[in-house]
Amino acid sequence: MSKMPGRPVLTVPEAEALALELFGAAGTAAPLPSDRDLNFRLTLTDGSRAVFKIFNTIEDEAYLECQSDAMDWAAKAGLPVPKVIGRATAKLNGKNHLVRLVSWLDGTPLGDASPITAQMEFDLGALLGRMDRAMEGFEHPAAPNHFPWDFANVADTVSKHIHAIPEARKPLVEMGLNLYQEHVAPKWDVLPKAIIHNDANDYNVLVGSAQEYPRPITGLLDFGDLVHSARVGNPAVAATYLALHREDPVDALCQVIKGYTSIFELSELELEVFYSLVCIRLSVSVTMSAVQRALEPDNEYLSISEKGAWTTLEKLQHQHPRLVHYRLRDAAGYAPVPNSTFVVDWIQSHKDDFHPVILPARPGAPPVVFDFSVSSQEFDSEAINTPGVADKEIWDRTGNAVGIGRWDEPRLAYGGDQYATQSGERRTIHLGVDLFRPARTPVQAPLSGTVHSFCAHHARFDYGGCLILEHEPEKGLRFWTLYGHLSHDSVKNLVVGKSVEAGDVIAYLGPFEENGGWVPHLHFQIIVDRLDLEATFPGVASPSQRDVWCSLSPSPVDMLGIPQSAVAPRSPHVQDLLERRNRS
């Protein structure tokens, strides 16, 4: 027996009889899952199928008409959504229930598809972009704004029911709540609003046969959560449930945004709240699952996403919100790190003012640029971290000059476990410039600043001695420079906050035994946003996030006063190659 207030109770034979009575629809009924109504798949005598829906008594007739009108509007725009075939009212157990007969859409629920590919995530984003573009002119006086799953009300919903969450797990729920209060609530009134579907979860989306490639999105079901709310909520909800299927949940968010923005623009303001909306949706999901499960412990549908939602919250607690934001901006086609351009422009305009960081043994000796890339004909993949392999070649070619390892270079030299990412992709893109000189060579500050943080790292393939300087050459312009592979003695006596001037000796290069296990050199890197890290920062990025990390750590070539050949050339993207081939 249902304990959900207002939910109708009906056996299969009773449902078949009611469908025949109300709509003349003779057929065989089979129950379908629902969180608050009663749904049946009705197979009619002619072989066609429909959905027979008996609504909860709490449903408002005007709101159901709003849903029906929205479905009709979307269908007329060519979107793959159900159509309302019939409307009626039925009295069950002394209570009136609104009833609808809705067309059936063929397909497999996206949540049951395996694998869910990046293309499917992109295509769902594109479908929602088409929907939001098509619905721009749709208005209805009954579109609600009081729904508990509406992003306008989710903070209140979570706060009201968080008592249902076990104490050990409350911090995960509060993470979403805190992000919402910090990033969404202050901006809510100025976010673009529209009537949105609001529930493109993985079981409301249908896909085609597994034999089709790419496997298409064939339908969007259930307009029962339709609201007038922030338009960005539509792709945010879809991204939330796709994230449940990813080792790196943010990858799913990026693919949905790429698809959505291929059709319909997301503003920078909407991107600022996107991640927080995803997190609060997960918080609402687990909270409401706990509440509803207490009412109906035998209804498995109520907990269909709960386990995945908890797992995803656990993964997201290790993500830095600003880094996620930069990845989302990149996916939408914006500059990943907004203030990176200002730092780059300032450095370029002052490129003649910086002091050399590493001096050659012979004054004026031009630097020697090396190729350590995956396609290098000069060195094999492990050359710079195996003693005796590259040392002689590097020092013979460098002579009295400074050897250069390039920025933005894809390398295979990074074999440690610390270079594996959450998704399994390895980090291979070099984010700094390497300056090769023998151990104990002095390192000098290129411009004035203060000691921000330092550490002697001991793990193999790490930085060894590492120093970060903070620079604020103009009010409102702040960035950092990182110096890696230093001797341990170099960083022992440093003092946080100590001022340094351009040309000051700040450290010395470390030997192989102290610098993380590399041929002696300085790893020099510019950092636009430290992501709250102290005495370290990723010096290598994964290829899929290359543009994001190159925006966080832009080219230091101008600051170092070295040739532009120290920037590794990028191989043409596959799509670029195809377009060139088609034009030829």
Side-chain angles (χ1 to χ4, degrees), residues 146-164:
H146 57 271
F147 193 57
W149 290 82
D150 180 354
F151 280 119
N153 307 314
V154 285
D156 291 339
T157 301
V158 173
S159 298
K160 179 180 178 181
H161 298 292
I162 197 169
H163 62 84

Side-chain angles (χ1 to χ4, degrees), residues 275-320:
Y275 178 59
S276 300
L277 293 179
V278 168
C279 289
I280 192 67
R281 179 73 180 203
L282 290 168
S283 296
V284 172
S285 180
V286 296
T287 301
M288 294 303 288
S289 289
V291 171
Q292 292 173 327
R293 189 173 58 252
L295 294 172
E296 295 188 277
D298 296 330
N299 189 339
E300 295 182 3
Y301 179 75
L302 299 178
S303 302
I304 194 168
S305 299
E306 185 179 15
K307 182 178 179 181
W310 281 119
T311 301
T312 304
L313 281 169
E314 289 167 358
K315 292 175 181 176
L316 291 178
Q317 71 176 328
H318 302 297
Q319 296 276 356
H320 195 294

Side-chain angles (χ1 to χ4, degrees), residues 227-470:
V227 291
H228 183 270
S229 189
R231 188 175 56 209
V232 66
N234 243 4
V237 169
T240 301
Y241 292 95
L242 287 170
L244 273 54
H245 303 272
R246 284 278 204 156
E247 284 302 317
D248 180 358
V250 182
D251 283 345
L253 277 58
C254 291
Q255 290 302 323
V256 170
I257 285 175
K258 286 179 182 178
Y260 187 91
T261 55
S262 72
I263 304 295
F264 201 68
E265 183 181 17
L266 283 173
S267 68
E268 291 182 274
L269 178 65
E270 289 173 308
L271 288 167
E272 287 175 14
V273 303
F274 196 98
Y275 178 59
S276 300
L277 293 179
V278 168
C279 289
I280 192 67
R281 179 73 180 203
L282 290 168
S283 296
V284 172
S285 180
V286 296
T287 301
M288 294 303 288
S289 289
V291 171
Q292 292 173 327
R293 189 173 58 252
L295 294 172
E296 295 188 277
D298 296 330
N299 189 339
E300 295 182 3
Y301 179 75
L302 299 178
S303 302
I304 194 168
S305 299
E306 185 179 15
K307 182 178 179 181
W310 281 119
T311 301
T312 304
L313 281 169
E314 289 167 358
K315 292 175 181 176
L316 291 178
Q317 71 176 328
H318 302 297
Q319 296 276 356
H320 195 294
R322 290 201 302 277
L323 178 57
V324 174
H325 177 53
Y326 300 150
R327 291 176 64 182
L328 302 187
R329 285 179 58 89
D330 182 57
Y334 292 100
V337 184
N339 63 326
S340 184
T341 301
F342 300 110
V343 173
V344 170
D345 288 347
W346 185 88
I347 291 171
Q348 189 171 36
S349 66
H350 292 78
K351 62 182 179 181
D352 296 328
D353 302 333
F354 299 110
H355 192 281
V357 174
I358 295 282
L359 292 170
R362 178 170 59 83
V368 178
V369 179
F370 296 119
D371 179 357
F372 296 110
S373 72
V374 295
S375 58
S376 175
Q377 301 299 308
E378 302 175 31
F379 301 96
D380 65 27
S381 63
E382 298 181 349
I384 57 175
N385 54 27
T386 304
V389 173
D391 308 46
K392 187 175 186 306
E393 175 74 13
I394 288 174
W395 303 134
D396 284 351
R397 289 178 55 187
T398 300
N400 292 321
V402 176
I404 303 293
R406 299 180 296 182
W407 175 78
D408 193 26
E409 183 174 67
R411 298 176 176 178
L412 296 177
Y414 306 109
D417 292 341
Q418 64 266 47
Y419 296 107
T421 66
Q422 191 174 7
S423 65
E425 183 183 25
R426 295 196 70 81
R427 295 187 292 124
T428 59
I429 307 299
H430 190 235
L431 297 173
V433 162
D434 293 330
L435 303 174
F436 287 89
R437 288 301 297 161
R440 311 302 176 191
T441 296
V443 178
Q444 297 171 287
L447 72 163
S448 62
T450 58
V451 174
H452 175 271
S453 53
F454 52 88
C455 184
H457 300 280
H458 295 276
R460 191 183 180 203
F461 303 124
D462 209 326
Y463 282 128
C466 182
L467 164 65
I468 294 178
L469 297 182
E470 182 174 311

Side-chain angles (χ1 to χ4, degrees), residues 143 414 471 557:
Y414 306 109
H471 310 279
V557 165

